[in-house]
Amino acid sequence: AQTVTQSQPEMSVQEAETVTLSCTYDTSESDYYLFWYKQPPSRQMILVIRQEAYKQQNATENRFSVNFQKAAKSFSLKISDSQLGDAAMYFCAYRRGIQGAQKLVFGQGTRLTINP
Amino acid sequence: NAGVTQTPKFQVLKTGQSMTLQCAQDMNHEYMSWYRQDPGMGLRLIHYSVGAGITDQGEVPNGYNVSRSTTEDFPLRLLSAAPSQTSVYFCASRHRTLSGNTIYFGEGSWLTVV
């Protein structure tokens, strides 16, 4: 069974600085997708960034980028120039790549605090 | 706005009552799912559907039923509510093709069973 582990229950960073959130996963599949979701206090799940396992290039979305290490099964999220609006719970998630795969496996989450 | 719409947003039930959480999407997505999120945890899959008339169980299906009579709607029924079903429920949808790997979530439904 696939598992996703976020070993940092809480992180904090000064506004405008850079922070990295860690995620490791376990799978025997070769084709899969990895995601980072942001969950603000409103509890809505917002997609931050996604990475296809077959792509070697790390995904980037504006201030958000990932460090995808497939052999190490590591998928960390880097937030540059942190803003107060980045404060939220962040969840790492995994999904198999085959069509019809529905199950997203989530990590336990990391609560990110931004200090002004 | 296009997207996934869940109703109600808040609900309090008494133990043993039944109710239905509604989910609708207007993006013509084939795949729809229901998740629950308990305090301090990630989401866990309850049931999912890959198209109208097709449903299947996820990780934690006990105590819940689903149906998919149309592409747009995917209601989740609690048959006899229990305090253990107090949670936040999320509906999600995505397009069938591999390029549709972005999953869209609703805003969540807060359910309390007393």
Side-chain angles (χ1 to χ4, degrees):
Chain A
Q2 295 87 11
T3 59
V4 176
T5 303
Q6 294 177 249
S7 58
Q8 306 154 315
E10 296 184 356
M11 292 282 286
S12 64
V13 64
Q14 291 295 125
E15 191 177 4
E17 293 188 348
T18 296
V19 64
T20 298
L21 308 183
S22 300
C23 173
T24 59
Y25 59 95
D26 186 25
T27 183
S28 58
E29 303 284 337
S30 59
D31 183 22
Y32 53 88
Y33 296 89
L34 296 165
F35 307 85
W36 278 98
Y37 282 93
K38 172 185 177 182
Q39 188 179 49
S42 66
R43 298 301 282 279
Q44 187 174 9
M45 297 291 284
I46 302 167
L47 177 67
V48 174
I49 199 165
R50 69 171 183 265
Q51 174 81 44
E52 292 87 343
Y54 64 85
K55 289 186 177 180
Q56 292 186 332
Q57 187 173 8
N58 289 326
T60 62
E61 287 289 344
N62 301 315
R63 298 183 294 108
F64 298 88
S65 61
V66 298
N67 184 4
F68 174 46
Q69 301 290 327
K70 191 171 184 177
K73 295 181 182 176
S74 171
F75 183 61
S76 60
L77 174 69
K78 185 171 81 171
I79 305 173
S80 304
D81 186 25
S82 298
Q83 300 177 359
L84 294 177
D86 294 334
M89 283 289 288
Y90 285 82
F91 290 96
C92 178
Y94 163 100
R95 182 175 68 79
R96 293 170 67 190
I98 62 172
Q99 263 190 325
Q102 278 293 283
K103 184 178 179 182
L104 268 177
V105 180
F106 285 85
Q108 305 90 324
T110 297
R111 184 174 301 281
L112 177 64
T113 302
I114 311 296
N115 300 314
Chain B
N1 289 339
V4 180
T5 303
Q6 292 181 231
T7 56
K9 190 161 185 173
F10 300 96
Q11 183 72 49
V12 179
L13 284 180
K14 294 183 178 179
T15 297
Q17 285 184 318
S18 62
M19 77 156 298
T20 299
L21 298 177
Q22 302 291 344
C23 176
Q25 52 90 10
D26 57 3
M27 298 172 282
N28 203 31
H29 287 171
E30 295 88 349
Y31 296 163
M32 297 186 73
S33 310
W34 276 102
Y35 291 84
R36 61 177 286 173
Q37 184 181 27
D38 299 313
M41 296 180 65
L43 280 66
R44 292 183 293 167
L45 182 65
I46 305 172
H47 284 285
Y48 65 95
S49 168
V50 298
I54 306 170
T55 64
D56 207 344
Q57 297 181 348
E59 183 182 356
V60 288
N62 293 338
Y64 307 94
N65 273 355
V66 291
S67 60
R68 186 91 181 273
S69 56
T70 66
T71 299
E72 295 78 20
D73 301 299
F74 190 45
L76 177 72
R77 298 184 188 84
L78 281 71
L79 308 173
S80 178
S84 61
Q85 293 179 303
T86 294
S87 190
V88 182
Y89 292 84
F90 289 92
C91 181
S93 74
R94 74 176 182 94
H95 195 266
R96 174 180 56 84
T97 63
L98 289 177
S99 63
N101 56 41
T102 296
I103 301 175
Y104 297 82
F105 283 90
E107 294 187 347
S109 296
W110 280 250
L111 177 65
T112 301
V113 183
V114 297

